[in-house]
């Protein structure tokens, strides 16, 4: 189930889409960010609970499509989630074709080098997907990570 907040936007349009790995940041950084945005009247989308088998990625991708800004919150476990990687791939696909949505990355206890696959942190997770999801998905996800790592963002290191 999705959680949205704020006012002034239609049900089909979000100011911000938050992409994050739930166990890493849901109950701390991302929750604070979400509540701060909603408190300022920003209509934000975040999934309200962990996604389960059988849930539809289509709903998340539609929310990405209908957002003005996407904020991927890169954390240590972000690349271990195929849901997060699919969201990111969709963001980058849209951005490259239309320059929308605007993408504002946050590097939470990771660096842009990790996201650009210059360290082993995300590489080891992606290697697992080649065996499970096939090479096409892995290549698309790698390309999206490398490209988004080139976008200027904010580093949040060692802060609760």
């Amino acid at each position: 189930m999705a959680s949205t907040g704020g006012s002034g936007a239609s049900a089909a349009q979000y100011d911000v889409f938050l992409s994050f790995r739930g166990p890493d940041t849901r109950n701390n950084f991302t929750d604070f960010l979400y509540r701060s945005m909603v408190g300022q009247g920003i209509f934000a989308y975040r999934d309200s609970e962990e996604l389960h088998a059988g849930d539809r990625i289509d709903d998340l991708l539609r929310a990405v499509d209908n957002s003005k800004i996407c904020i991927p919150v890169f954390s240590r476990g972000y690349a271990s989630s195929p849901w997060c990687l699919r969201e990111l791939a969709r963001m980058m696909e849209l951005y490259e074709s239309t320059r929308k949505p605007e993408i504002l990355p946050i590097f939470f206890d990771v660096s842009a080098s990790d996201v650009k696959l210059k360290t082993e942190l995300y590489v080891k997770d992606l290697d697992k997907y080649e065996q499970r999801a096939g090479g096409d998905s892995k290549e698309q996800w790698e390309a999206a990570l490398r490209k988004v790592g080139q976008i200027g963002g904010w580093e949040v290191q060692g802060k609760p």
Side-chain angles (χ1 to χ4, degrees):
M1 175 159 189
S3 179
T4 59
S7 62
S10 70
Q13 181 71 39
Y14 302 100
D15 294 318
V16 176
F17 178 91
L18 291 171
S19 176
F20 60 96
R21 179 73 172 127
D24 292 352
T25 68
R26 177 185 305 284
N27 294 321
N28 51 51
F29 181 82
T30 300
D31 187 58
F32 177 78
L33 179 61
Y34 173 78
R35 290 182 188 281
S36 296
M37 287 189 292
V38 169
Q40 295 299 311
I42 296 170
F43 197 64
Y45 180 99
R46 69 167 178 183
D47 65 310
S48 60
E49 298 297 329
E50 274 302 302
L51 296 171
H52 302 284
D55 287 344
R56 295 182 47 95
I57 188 73
D58 295 347
D59 294 337
L60 289 174
L61 299 182
R62 198 169 8 265
V64 169
D65 293 350
N66 292 322
S67 296
K68 296 174 188 171
I69 298 169
C70 290
I71 301 177
V73 180
F74 294 106
S75 58
R76 298 192 70 74
Y78 189 92
S80 69
S81 168
W83 295 93
C84 289
L85 294 170
R86 287 180 186 131
E87 293 166 7
L88 179 65
R90 182 64 181 161
M91 286 176 218
M92 294 310 297
E93 175 187 341
L94 290 170
Y95 183 76
E96 289 177 338
S97 64
T98 65
R99 288 298 190 223
K100 294 182 182 188
E102 186 171 351
I103 300 173
L104 305 173
I106 295 174
F107 304 98
F108 185 83
D109 286 337
V110 298
S111 70
S113 293
D114 296 320
V115 175
K116 290 187 270 188
L117 307 177
K118 293 185 176 185
T119 70
E120 288 297 311
L121 182 63
Y122 284 8
V123 171
K124 63 183 177 194
D125 287 324
L126 288 170
D127 286 343
K128 296 174 192 173
Y129 295 123
E130 187 166 31
Q131 298 164 9
R132 286 188 278 167
D136 290 344
S137 293
K138 181 188 174 204
E139 288 176 15
Q140 183 182 22
W141 296 341
E142 286 175 340
L145 285 164
R146 286 189 179 101
K147 289 173 187 169
V148 77
Q150 301 293 329
I151 298 172
W154 294 270
E155 288 198 14
V156 180
Q157 303 293 323
K159 297 176 185 173

